[in-house]
């Protein structure tokens, strides 16, 4: 019996406390098990680390733009069940769903147009909100994996953003500038003589991540230190476009998927029973149509685009357009989750739609 299966006793109704005392107060023996949310978190943790390790060793075998495009496509489905998020948290029914989908599509279209109309300002704003989204996704995932809210969230968020967005650009500006020029449709250049400033900024960035790593290790947050260490290796050793593709497709979106599986009340029983494959299949079914629609849009761009430059710029504008409502949805779900867990005592885990939201258990071994 797996640890997750052994945990079934505790999560079956979602109404037992962490002590194993059901609501009617009869003590039952509780084996030392991991909470059911550990299953997707553990799998996502191992998968994303393995992907980064493989990229660090072997990414030079594949052209960076291929890895970037593959990662961007692989990451598409992670936002494909966003339209279900309000239902998970509010129990909203069909007419609301229509409204949610319409607002989502309108926001995506408006963001796409903003990206096309004011590319420089839009890219700057987009990078800022992306940094926030990546950081909150990562710290939220770390909490899920640990089974509790980890301390040092702000510091770890800064370390994460420096590792995944700042260091790749500062260490390899020549790898990013050509694509950035295409995206903003302007001759973006580093100001003459700015080489030293960029080098100094890169050293500062490395010092920041070293500080975060040292703090994580000294506070016993080993898993978070391993993650940050791997992302720094990715930033230092891999072409920045390939690094972003790997991060987006195999790290951010996979970890987001783990949180999504736990959030979906329909998966509570499956995960408690250790049936990760079945929960993934449910996700695949829900994500299929929106992912297909996005892929068709991308396909139409490939056909309509005038060469790879036109395609790259359209594709990133489309990605940015789809991303804005995704960022809003995820931020809203984060607030609901935070409110749900702060309303809960140690004895009584959050219950939403009759299902326990997140179990707080012993820290898992990864
Ligand atoms: C602008 C730009 C880039 C950044 C893209 C970003 C930051 C995408 C963020 C996506 C998000 C936040 C998705 C949601 O989950 C690249 C590809 C590095 C290449 C150069 C141009
Ligand atoms: Fe995301």
């Amino acid at each position: 019996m797996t640890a997750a299966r052994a945990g079934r006793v505790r999560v079956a109704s979602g109404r037992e406390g962490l002590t194993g005392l059901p609501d009617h107060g009869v003590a039952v023996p509780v084996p030392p098990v991991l909470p059911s949310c550990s299953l997707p978190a553990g799998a996502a943790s191992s998968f994303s680390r393995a992907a980064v390790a493989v990229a660090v060793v072997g990414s030079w075998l594949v052209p960076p733009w291929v890895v970037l495009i593959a990662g961007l496509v692989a990451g598409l489905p992670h936002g494909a069940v966003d339209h279900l998020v309000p239902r998970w948290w509010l129990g909203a029914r069909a007419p609301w769903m229509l409204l949610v989908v319409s607002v989502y599509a309108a926001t995506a279209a408006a963001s796409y147009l903003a990206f096309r109309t004011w590319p420089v300002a839009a890219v700057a704003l987009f990078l800022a909100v992306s940094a926030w989204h990546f950081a909150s996704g990562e710290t939220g995932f770390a909490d899920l994996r640990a089974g509790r809210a980890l301390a040092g969230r702000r510091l770890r968020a800064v370390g994460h953003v420096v590792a995944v967005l700042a260091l790749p650009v500062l260490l390899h500006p020549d790898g990013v500038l050509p694509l950035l020029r295409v995206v903003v449709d302007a001759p973006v250049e580093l100001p003459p003589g700015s080489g030293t400033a960029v080098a100094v900024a890169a050293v500062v960035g490395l010092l920041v991540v070293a500080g975060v790593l040292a703090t994580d290790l000294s506070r016993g947050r080993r898993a978070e230190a391993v993650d940050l260490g791997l992302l720094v290796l990715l930033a230092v050793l891999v072409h920045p476009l390939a690094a972003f593709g790997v991060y987006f497709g195999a790290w951010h979106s996979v970890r987001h998927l783990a949180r999504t599986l736990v959030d979906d009340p329909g998966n509570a029983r499956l995960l408690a029973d250790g049936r990760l494959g079945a929960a993934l299949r449910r996700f695949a079914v829900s994500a299929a149509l929106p992912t297909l629609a996005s892929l068709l849009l991308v396909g139409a761009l490939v056909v309509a685009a005038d060469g790879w430059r036109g395609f790259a710029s359209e594709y990133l504008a489309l990605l940015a357009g789809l991303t804005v409502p995704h960022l809003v949805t995820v931020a809203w779900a984060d607030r609901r989750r935070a409110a749900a867990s702060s309303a809960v005592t140690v004895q009584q885990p959050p219950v939403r739609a009759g299902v326990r939201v997140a179990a707080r258990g012993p820290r898992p071994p990864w």
Side-chain angles (χ1 to χ4, degrees), residues 65-98:
W65 62 268
V66 173
V67 183
L68 175 65
I69 294 192
L72 293 180
V73 171
L76 267 185
H78 92 277
V81 295
D82 282 355
H83 61 291
L84 300 179
V85 170
R87 192 166 81 194
W88 296 342
W89 290 94
L90 302 175
R93 294 267 154 246
W96 282 104
M97 290 293 291
L98 203 63

Coordinates of all heavy atoms in Angstrom, one line a residue, residues 65-98:
W65 N 15.7 27.7 -30.1 CA 14.3 28.1 -30.5 C 13.4 27.0 -30.5 O 12.2 27.1 -30.3 CB 14.3 28.9 -31.8 CG 14.8 28.2 -33.0 CD1 16.1 28.1 -33.5 CD2 14.0 27.4 -33.9 NE1 16.1 27.3 -34.6 CE2 14.9 26.8 -34.8 CE3 12.6 27.0 -33.9 CZ2 14.4 26.0 -35.8 CZ3 12.2 26.2 -34.9 CH2 13.1 25.6 -35.9
V66 N 13.9 25.8 -30.8 CA 13.1 24.6 -30.8 C 12.6 24.3 -29.4 O 11.4 24.0 -29.1 CB 13.8 23.3 -31.4 CG1 13.0 22.1 -31.3 CG2 14.2 23.6 -32.9
V67 N 13.5 24.4 -28.5 CA 13.2 24.1 -27.1 C 12.2 25.2 -26.6 O 11.2 24.9 -25.9 CB 14.5 24.1 -26.2 CG1 14.1 23.8 -24.7 CG2 15.5 23.2 -26.7
L68 N 12.4 26.4 -27.0 CA 11.5 27.5 -26.6 C 10.1 27.2 -27.1 O 9.1 27.2 -26.3 CB 12.0 28.9 -27.1 CG 11.0 30.0 -26.8 CD1 10.9 30.3 -25.3 CD2 11.5 31.3 -27.5
I69 N 10.0 26.9 -28.4 CA 8.6 26.7 -28.9 C 8.0 25.5 -28.3 O 6.8 25.5 -27.9 CB 8.7 26.6 -30.5 CG1 9.1 27.9 -31.0 CG2 7.3 26.1 -31.0 CD1 8.9 28.1 -32.5
A70 N 8.8 24.4 -28.1 CA 8.2 23.2 -27.5 C 7.7 23.5 -26.1 O 6.7 23.0 -25.7 CB 9.3 22.1 -27.5
G71 N 8.5 24.3 -25.4 CA 8.1 24.6 -24.0 C 6.9 25.5 -23.9 O 6.0 25.2 -23.1
L72 N 6.8 26.4 -24.9 CA 5.6 27.3 -24.9 C 4.4 26.5 -25.2 O 3.3 26.7 -24.7 CB 5.8 28.5 -25.9 CG 6.9 29.5 -25.5 CD1 7.0 30.6 -26.6 CD2 6.7 30.1 -24.1
V73 N 4.5 25.5 -26.2 CA 3.3 24.7 -26.5 C 3.0 23.8 -25.4 O 1.8 23.6 -25.0 CB 3.6 23.9 -27.9 CG1 2.5 22.9 -28.1 CG2 3.7 24.9 -29.0
A74 N 4.0 23.1 -24.8 CA 3.8 22.2 -23.7 C 3.1 22.9 -22.5 O 2.3 22.3 -21.8 CB 5.1 21.5 -23.3
G75 N 3.4 24.2 -22.4 CA 2.8 24.9 -21.2 C 1.4 25.4 -21.5 O 0.7 25.8 -20.5
L76 N 1.0 25.4 -22.7 CA -0.4 25.9 -23.0 C -1.5 25.3 -22.1 O -2.3 26.1 -21.6 CB -0.7 25.6 -24.5 CG -0.4 26.7 -25.6 CD1 -1.0 26.3 -26.9 CD2 -1.0 28.1 -25.2
P77 N -1.5 24.0 -22.0 CA -2.7 23.4 -21.2 C -2.8 23.8 -19.8 O -3.8 23.7 -19.2 CB -2.5 21.9 -21.3 CG -1.5 21.7 -22.4 CD -0.7 22.9 -22.5
H78 N -1.7 24.4 -19.2 CA -1.8 24.6 -17.8 C -2.8 25.7 -17.4 O -3.3 25.8 -16.3 CB -0.4 24.9 -17.2 CG 0.0 26.4 -17.1 ND1 0.6 27.0 -18.2 CD2 0.0 27.3 -16.1 CE1 0.9 28.3 -17.8 NE2 0.5 28.4 -16.6
G79 N -3.1 26.5 -18.5 CA -4.2 27.5 -18.2 C -5.5 27.1 -18.8 O -6.5 27.9 -18.7
A80 N -5.5 25.9 -19.3 CA -6.7 25.5 -20.1 C -7.9 25.1 -19.3 O -9.0 24.9 -19.8 CB -6.4 24.3 -21.0
V81 N -7.8 25.0 -18.0 CA -9.0 24.7 -17.1 C -9.3 25.9 -16.3 O -10.1 25.8 -15.3 CB -8.8 23.4 -16.3 CG1 -8.7 22.2 -17.2 CG2 -7.6 23.5 -15.3
D82 N -8.7 27.1 -16.6 CA -9.0 28.3 -15.8 C -10.5 28.6 -15.7 O -11.0 29.1 -14.7 CB -8.3 29.5 -16.5 CG -6.8 29.6 -16.2 OD1 -6.4 28.7 -15.4 OD2 -6.1 30.5 -16.7
H83 N -11.2 28.3 -16.8 CA -12.7 28.6 -16.8 C -13.4 27.8 -15.8 O -14.5 28.1 -15.4 CB -13.3 28.3 -18.2 CG -13.1 26.9 -18.7 ND1 -11.9 26.3 -19.0 CD2 -14.0 25.9 -18.8 CE1 -12.1 25.1 -19.3 NE2 -13.4 24.8 -19.2
L84 N -12.8 26.7 -15.3 CA -13.5 25.9 -14.2 C -13.2 26.4 -12.8 O -13.8 26.0 -11.9 CB -13.0 24.4 -14.4 CG -13.3 23.7 -15.7 CD1 -12.8 22.3 -15.7 CD2 -14.8 23.7 -16.0
V85 N -12.2 27.2 -12.7 CA -11.7 27.6 -11.4 C -12.9 28.3 -10.5 O -13.1 27.9 -9.4 CB -10.5 28.6 -11.5 CG1 -10.2 29.2 -10.1 CG2 -9.3 27.8 -12.0
P86 N -13.7 29.2 -11.1 CA -14.7 29.8 -10.3 C -15.7 28.7 -9.8 O -16.2 28.8 -8.7 CB -15.4 30.8 -11.3 CG -14.4 31.1 -12.3 CD -13.6 29.8 -12.4
R87 N -16.0 27.7 -10.7 CA -16.9 26.7 -10.2 C -16.3 25.9 -9.0 O -17.1 25.6 -8.1 CB -17.2 25.7 -11.4 CG -18.3 24.8 -11.1 CD -18.8 24.1 -12.3 NE -18.0 23.0 -12.6 CZ -18.0 22.3 -13.8 NH1 -18.8 22.7 -14.7 NH2 -17.3 21.3 -14.0
W88 N -15.0 25.6 -9.1 CA -14.4 24.9 -7.9 C -14.6 25.7 -6.6 O -14.7 25.1 -5.6 CB -12.9 24.6 -8.2 CG -12.7 23.8 -9.4 CD1 -13.6 22.9 -10.0 CD2 -11.4 23.6 -10.1 NE1 -13.0 22.3 -11.1 CE2 -11.7 22.7 -11.2 CE3 -10.2 24.2 -10.0 CZ2 -10.7 22.4 -12.0 CZ3 -9.2 23.9 -10.8 CH2 -9.4 22.9 -11.9
W89 N -14.4 27.0 -6.7 CA -14.4 27.8 -5.5 C -15.8 28.3 -5.1 O -16.0 28.5 -3.9 CB -13.4 28.9 -5.6 CG -12.0 28.4 -5.6 CD1 -11.2 28.1 -6.7 CD2 -11.2 28.0 -4.5 NE1 -10.0 27.6 -6.3 CE2 -10.0 27.6 -5.0 CE3 -11.4 28.1 -3.1 CZ2 -8.9 27.1 -4.1 CZ3 -10.4 27.6 -2.3 CH2 -9.2 27.2 -2.8
L90 N -16.6 28.6 -6.1 CA -17.9 29.2 -5.8 C -19.1 28.3 -6.1 O -20.2 28.6 -5.8 CB -18.1 30.5 -6.6 CG -17.0 31.6 -6.5 CD1 -17.3 32.7 -7.4 CD2 -17.0 32.1 -5.0
G91 N -18.8 27.2 -6.8 CA -19.9 26.3 -7.2 C -20.7 27.0 -8.3 O -21.9 26.6 -8.5
A92 N -20.2 27.9 -9.1 CA -20.9 28.6 -10.1 C -21.4 27.7 -11.2 O -20.7 26.8 -11.6 CB -20.1 29.7 -10.7
R93 N -22.6 27.9 -11.6 CA -23.2 27.0 -12.6 C -23.2 27.6 -14.0 O -22.6 28.7 -14.3 CB -24.7 26.7 -12.2 CG -24.7 25.9 -11.0 CD -24.8 24.4 -11.3 NE -24.3 23.6 -10.2 CZ -23.1 22.9 -10.2 NH1 -22.4 22.8 -11.3 NH2 -22.7 22.2 -9.1
A94 N -23.9 26.9 -15.0 CA -23.7 27.2 -16.4 C -23.8 28.7 -16.8 O -22.9 29.2 -17.5 CB -24.7 26.4 -17.2
P95 N -24.8 29.5 -16.4 CA -24.9 30.9 -16.9 C -23.6 31.7 -16.5 O -23.1 32.5 -17.2 CB -26.1 31.5 -16.3 CG -26.9 30.3 -15.7 CD -25.9 29.2 -15.5
W96 N -23.2 31.4 -15.3 CA -22.0 32.1 -14.8 C -20.7 31.7 -15.6 O -19.9 32.5 -15.9 CB -21.7 31.7 -13.3 CG -22.6 32.5 -12.4 CD1 -23.7 32.1 -11.8 CD2 -22.5 33.9 -12.1 NE1 -24.3 33.1 -11.0 CE2 -23.5 34.2 -11.2 CE3 -21.5 34.8 -12.4 CZ2 -23.7 35.5 -10.7 CZ3 -21.7 36.1 -11.9 CH2 -22.8 36.4 -11.0
M97 N -20.7 30.4 -15.9 CA -19.6 29.9 -16.7 C -19.5 30.6 -18.0 O -18.4 31.0 -18.5 CB -19.8 28.4 -17.0 CG -19.6 27.5 -15.8 SD -18.0 27.5 -15.2 CE -17.2 26.6 -16.6
L98 N -20.7 30.9 -18.6 CA -20.7 31.6 -19.9 C -20.1 33.0 -19.7 O -19.3 33.5 -20.5 CB -22.1 31.7 -20.4 CG -22.3 31.9 -21.9 CD1 -21.7 30.7 -22.6 CD2 -23.8 32.1 -22.2

